[in-house]
Structures are given as C-alpha cells and as structure tokens.
C-alpha cells in the first residue's frame, strides 16, 4: 500500500517513547507536522505506553500553542499494525490537513535568519 511520499516514518519501540521535547523541537525548527501513531489503546506491548502518549498529547498541543505553533500540526492516533488500510487513510488525511495549513512559518523564519547572517 502506498502513503504520501513526503511522510517520513521514524520508528520507536512504543508510542510512549515519543519524546515531547523532540516533537516541540522539530516543530519549532520548521517541520510541517508530526503524527504519532501508537497501538490501539489498551493494546500496548509495554502495557501503558500509549496511555502515556495520549496523556502527553494535550500537553504538547498546549506548549505548541503557547509557542505560537498551530497545535493541529501535531496529533496522536492509535491503530493496530494489522490495519494497513487505516494507516494509509490516517496519514493521507493528516498530510492533507498539514498541506491545508501551509508550510510551517517557523521554517521560513529560520531560512530568513540564515540568509540575514
Ligand atoms: S507498544 Fe506501546 S503503543 Fe505500541
């Protein structure tokens, strides 16, 4: 199955290992969007990693909003590794939503800062 080619998959052992600091850092440095995908709630192989990821999602969104970054550039989803069609649907929709938001303005600002040096 194919998914949008501008999506880069970064594997982690569990969605509970998605570091909020890295999410905020990446978006603060111009990444257009981040979608974290974990196992279905209640089905984490590490018992409660996805529950922790879910709890962190809202906190990350608040930090992003406070930093002037559209919080819709980050979200979590939960699905089984057997749901490949659902994976394609979720990431395709997310990429579409990010395209609708446009490029991350902080990337343009970073580029302008570099040119100004
Ligand atoms: S192993 Fe924890 S979310 Fe999948």
């Amino acid at each position: 199955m194919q998914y949008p080619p501008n999506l880069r998959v970064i594997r982690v052992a569990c969605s509970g290992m998605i570091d909020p600091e890295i999410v905020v850092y990446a978006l603060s440095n111009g990444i257009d969007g981040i979608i974290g995908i974990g196992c279905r709630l209640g089905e984490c192989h590490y018992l409660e990693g996805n529950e922790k990821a879910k709890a962190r999602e809202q906190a990350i969104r608040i930090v992003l909003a406070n930093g002037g970054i559209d919080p819709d550039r980050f979200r979590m989803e939960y699905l089984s590794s057997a749901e490949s069609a659902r994976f394609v649907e979720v990431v395709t929709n997310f990429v579409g939503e990010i395209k609708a938001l446009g490029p991350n303005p902080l990337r343009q600002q970073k580029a302008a800062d570099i040119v100004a040096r």
Side-chain angles (χ1 to χ4, degrees), residues 40-115:
R40 286 184 185 174
L41 295 173
E43 297 181 5
C44 174
H45 302 287
Y46 297 92
L47 303 179
E48 57 188 23
N50 52 8
E51 298 287 349
K52 290 178 180 174
K54 184 172 176 54
R56 289 180 193 132
E57 179 183 13
Q58 193 57 32
I60 291 170
R61 291 172 60 87
I62 290 169
V63 169
L64 293 173
N66 287 341
I69 299 168
D70 190 326
D72 289 342
R73 291 185 182 278
F74 171 71
R75 81 158 183 256
M76 292 293 304
E77 290 283 346
Y78 305 93
L79 44 105
S80 158
S81 59
E83 295 178 293
S84 53
R86 176 85 179 116
F87 171 80
V88 170
E89 178 188 339
V90 163
V91 298
T92 301
N93 288 344
F94 182 70
V95 168
E97 291 167 23
I98 295 301
K99 279 185 178 174
L101 288 176
N104 185 338
L106 295 178
R107 181 174 62 228
Q108 295 165 341
Q109 182 61 47
K110 293 271 180 196
D113 290 348
I114 290 169
V115 169

Side-chain angles (χ1 to χ4, degrees), residues 8-23:
R8 295 292 175 266
V9 176
I10 300 172
R11 290 173 167 258
V12 293
C14 171
S15 65
M17 295 177 182
I18 297 173
D19 188 333
E21 210 171 310
I22 290 174
V23 171

